Amino acid sequence: MESIPNNATIFNKNYHKDKLYSVTFNGDHPEEKIVIYIDTETNKKVGMIGEN
């Protein structure tokens, strides 16, 4: 089971932990990496790491 790390920005703390899914986008440089956390039950973005 995935979890949202402490260094992420959390948009909704009431997400379904058993339905969490992450998507990673890699840029040309390591600092451009973005990870988005999605609650697959509600299909809402609940957290992210990286640029907005």
Side-chain angles (χ1 to χ4, degrees):
M1 185 180 331
E2 294 200 58
S3 63
I4 299 178
N6 293 337
N7 63 331
T9 301
I10 298 177
F11 304 118
N12 181 357
K13 293 181 190 282
N14 298 319
Y15 63 91
H16 299 88
K17 290 179 175 47
D18 59 332
K19 303 287 186 184
L20 188 66
Y21 184 76
S22 68
V23 181
T24 303
F25 300 92
N26 291 304
D28 294 332
H29 307 284
E31 65 273 10
E32 294 175 342
K33 178 179 172 181
I34 297 172
V35 183
I36 297 176
Y37 296 90
I38 300 167
D39 182 337
T40 59
E41 186 161 310
T42 62
N43 289 325
K44 300 284 186 189
K45 179 170 71 170
V46 294
M48 77 178 293
I49 299 173
E51 297 295 319
N52 292 334

